[in-house]
Amino acid sequence: MNAGIIGIGKYVPEKVLTNHDLEKMMDTSDEWIRTRTGIEERRIADDSMDTSDLGFEAAKKAIENAGISPEEIDLILVATVTPDQPFPTVACMLQERLGAKKAAAMDISAACSGFMYGVATAKQFIESGAYKYVLIVGVEKLSKILNWKDRNTAVLFGDGAGAAVMGPVSEGRGVLAFELGADGTGGKHLYQDEYVIMNGREVFKFAVRQMGESCMNVLEKAGLTKEDVDFLIPHQANIRIMESARLRLDLPEEKMSKTIHKYGNTSAASIPISLVEEVEAGKIKDDDIVVMVGFGGGLTWGSIVMRWGR
Ligand code: UT7
């Protein structure tokens, strides 16, 4: 039995914060942010919405898109580093609000790689026959843990949510292989101590190395080569890091997802948000080979290769 993505949904808050808005808040410039990161604007959730509210909106759409009812979900995995509170988990909050009565629920803490960890975990439960449907939500309200006086971090991140329902798919389709990894020795380069603290240059070096490596590794595991890849969805952290992964796979620009200019880095939400946008735009079609790759705090990384379609 192959596990694959059978439904997707996303939600981003309405409020747009542009680079020009940030110029008025701190010593930065639209020019610097645009050329160093590729970000033009990001979405910021107001006080009326916490992480679970963002996740709920995306999850509802993914379940509807999958054509199943919440009662059929066996497991809810929420990838986030900005939960409403340490516990109960966001996954349990969604279990109640969605009415997913029989679902087990837990949060996954793997920072920006969280959605990749979720997809790989869901695959195990489905392909072992233990569970049929798993809901995975990548969601962050990073704005609540940003120091709005620190230009090194505040300009980079945004809020949002992306969700996917995974379940059995037809022969040859679904998640073909995954790679997950961690290097705790790099934890000191990106962490939360009240606010997000980051050594941008160190994370940048790690990301460029690891994204490309992980793409190649996961393709090899699936018995594929870079020539087989139809579309790449990299974690949207910095356009220069994304470009390095694209060039490693020798893909033309139009075959890589780019949503960073609109949403900034939404951590665990960036890959599923991008997936929704590309599928809706018709850029990912049935039987396309799609690589998704992320990296983040931990340090962690993860990649997936899938043949799209139910
Ligand atoms: O999801 C994972 C999360 N993290 C990442 O993916 C981050 C990875 N790292 C990066 O994306 C990049 O390292 C940054 C975008 C964070 C920084 O870009 P950089 O090219 O590595 O710049 P830098 O850190 O080497 O800084 C260059 C200059 C510095 O000034 P000096 O020391 O050369 O005078 C910074 O103070 O740019 C300055 N700077 C800024 N200037 C205007 C740093 N942030 C800003 C800013 N506006 N927001």
Side-chain angles (χ1 to χ4, degrees):
M1 189 197 300
N2 315 320
I5 293 176
I6 62 165
I8 49 176
K10 75 163 209 287
Y11 178 80
V12 291
E14 269 162 43
K15 188 184 165 198
V16 175
L17 186 70
T18 67
N19 292 348
H20 294 291
D21 295 330
L22 287 169
E23 284 175 346
K24 293 173 204 138
M25 297 161 63
M26 63 191 77
D27 179 18
T28 189
S29 68
D30 173 54
E31 157 77 14
W32 191 96
I33 301 171
R34 213 180 267 262
T35 54
R36 293 300 183 111
T37 73
I39 300 167
E40 293 168 23
E41 54 187 48
R42 69 287 290 141
R43 301 299 179 94
I44 302 292
D46 65 24
D47 291 345
S48 72
M49 289 193 107
D50 207 340
T51 300
S52 61
D53 304 298
L54 303 173
F56 176 64
E57 297 301 328
K60 265 194 310 192
K61 291 183 198 163
I63 295 166
E64 197 188 306
N65 185 241
I68 65 167
S69 79
E71 290 85 8
E72 293 178 88
I73 297 169
D74 297 294
L75 174 65
I76 300 175
L77 300 171
V78 175
T80 187
V81 290
T82 50
D84 298 38
Q85 65 274 313
F87 70 94
T89 57
V90 176
C92 282
M93 297 172 80
L94 295 188
Q95 192 255 359
E96 183 199 4
R97 284 181 68 182
L98 293 165
K101 292 197 181 66
K102 77 168 179 190
M106 65 174 168
D107 285 2
I108 291 181
S109 187
C112 308
S113 313
F115 190 76
M116 296 292 87
Y117 272 68
V119 170
T121 305
K123 175 180 163 73
Q124 309 312 311
F125 279 107
I126 296 164
E127 293 185 358
S128 68
Y131 291 148
K132 188 168 182 194
Y133 296 121
V134 181
L135 169 69
I136 309 143
V137 184
V139 54
E140 305 286 4
K141 185 177 177 181
L142 286 156
S143 59
K144 69 182 176 184
I145 60 163
L146 292 176
N147 176 356
W148 290 97
K149 293 189 175 75
D150 177 14
R151 69 177 185 175
N152 291 301
T153 52
V155 306
L156 303 175
F157 298 98
D159 302 335
V165 175
M166 281 181 66
V169 293
S170 28
E171 185 75 38
R173 288 181 173 172
V175 179
L176 306 175
F178 68 89
E179 185 195 58
L180 301 178
D183 176 8
T185 63
K188 56 184 177 290
H189 300 314
L190 177 54
Y191 61 96
Q192 185 191 350
D193 174 16
E194 186 177 5
Y195 299 120
V196 175
I197 315 276
M198 184 176 69
N199 180 338
R201 270 177 224 188
E202 285 301 324
V203 178
F204 191 97
K205 278 192 283 182
F206 159 78
V208 167
R209 188 179 66 242
Q210 208 57 57
M211 293 259 271
E213 280 297 311
S214 194
C215 288
M216 299 314 282
N217 291 344
V218 81
L219 285 170
E220 196 185 327
K221 282 188 179 187
L224 299 171
T225 67
K226 59 186 181 182
E227 284 74 30
D228 296 311
V229 178
D230 294 300
F231 208 82
L232 170 67
I233 303 182
H235 169 46
Q236 310 279 309
N238 184 313
I239 189 69
R240 293 181 289 149
I241 298 171
M242 292 157 55
E243 283 290 298
S244 74
R246 178 176 76 77
L247 295 173
R248 186 79 184 262
L249 294 179
D250 286 326
L251 286 173
E253 258 177 58
E254 64 275 12
K255 290 197 170 187
M256 178 182 79
S257 179
K258 192 179 105 146
T259 59
I260 188 171
H261 57 296
K262 294 191 284 187
Y263 305 130
N265 179 350
T266 56
S267 183
S270 96
I271 291 174
I273 287 175
S274 298
L275 175 64
V276 173
E277 298 227 337
E278 303 305 350
V279 170
E280 284 177 355
K283 291 201 201 158
I284 294 175
K285 297 175 290 298
D286 277 358
D287 289 317
D288 278 355
I289 295 290
V290 180
V291 173
M292 307 196 284
V293 59
F295 68 91
L299 299 168
T300 55
W301 67 90
S303 59
I304 297 290
V305 57
M306 61 184 173
R307 188 182 293 277
W308 185 249
R310 294 182 69 160

